[in-house]
Amino acid sequence: MTSPDTITERPDTGLDADGLDADVLDCLQSVIDPEVGLSVVDLGLVYGARRSPGAVEVDLTLTARACPLGEMIMDDARDALAARFPDVPRIDVALVFDPPWTPDRITEHGLAQLGHPPRATR
């Protein structure tokens, strides 16, 4: 997953290097996992981010299936997307668990916010 610091769009697609819609990722930066204090993007919880004139579709996972704040995070994501894309008639945020989340999905920006060194220097 590409760090939000270095989101690079593919020419003419609006997608980042992982095939995720860069504008949707930018919007989801404001959605914070309150237990960790990082955005769902920096935690690597966004598995899919697609946008068309008719819908914004996001696949999110959680750090653990039993996360007690999962529904709140999903609601926050829906609210942020609806505010950012008011003309899109359908906002769909789906909860997925395949593949299972691991800390390896945390972005370099997220690692820095947690006080960890970049992966290249470990």
Side-chain angles (χ1 to χ4, degrees):
M1 174 161 225
T2 306
S3 169
D5 295 353
T6 59
I7 290 176
T8 54
E9 292 185 17
R10 294 180 183 166
D12 303 317
T13 66
L15 302 178
D16 77 353
D18 294 324
L20 303 174
D21 185 283
D23 288 337
V24 173
L25 288 180
D26 183 60
C27 174
L28 293 173
Q29 280 289 344
S30 68
V31 178
I32 305 298
D33 180 317
E35 289 186 317
V36 183
L38 292 180
S39 78
V40 295
V41 174
D42 287 327
L43 275 172
L45 301 180
V46 181
Y47 283 11
R50 297 163 299 284
R51 181 171 48 110
S52 69
V56 173
E57 300 170 325
V58 172
D59 296 328
L60 281 180
T61 195
L62 301 172
T63 56
R65 278 188 184 260
C67 176
L69 300 172
E71 196 58 44
M72 184 191 83
I73 292 169
M74 303 271 294
D75 288 344
D76 288 353
R78 284 185 199 100
D79 292 346
L81 292 164
R84 175 76 171 263
F85 304 104
D87 296 331
V88 176
R90 184 169 59 90
I91 304 292
D92 183 24
V93 179
L95 187 59
V96 298
F97 290 103
D98 187 32
W101 180 86
T102 68
D104 292 336
R105 294 191 56 87
I106 299 173
T107 65
E108 293 296 325
H109 183 253
L111 289 172
Q113 288 182 307
L114 292 171
H116 293 278
R119 285 184 179 91
T121 62
R122 288 189 195 176

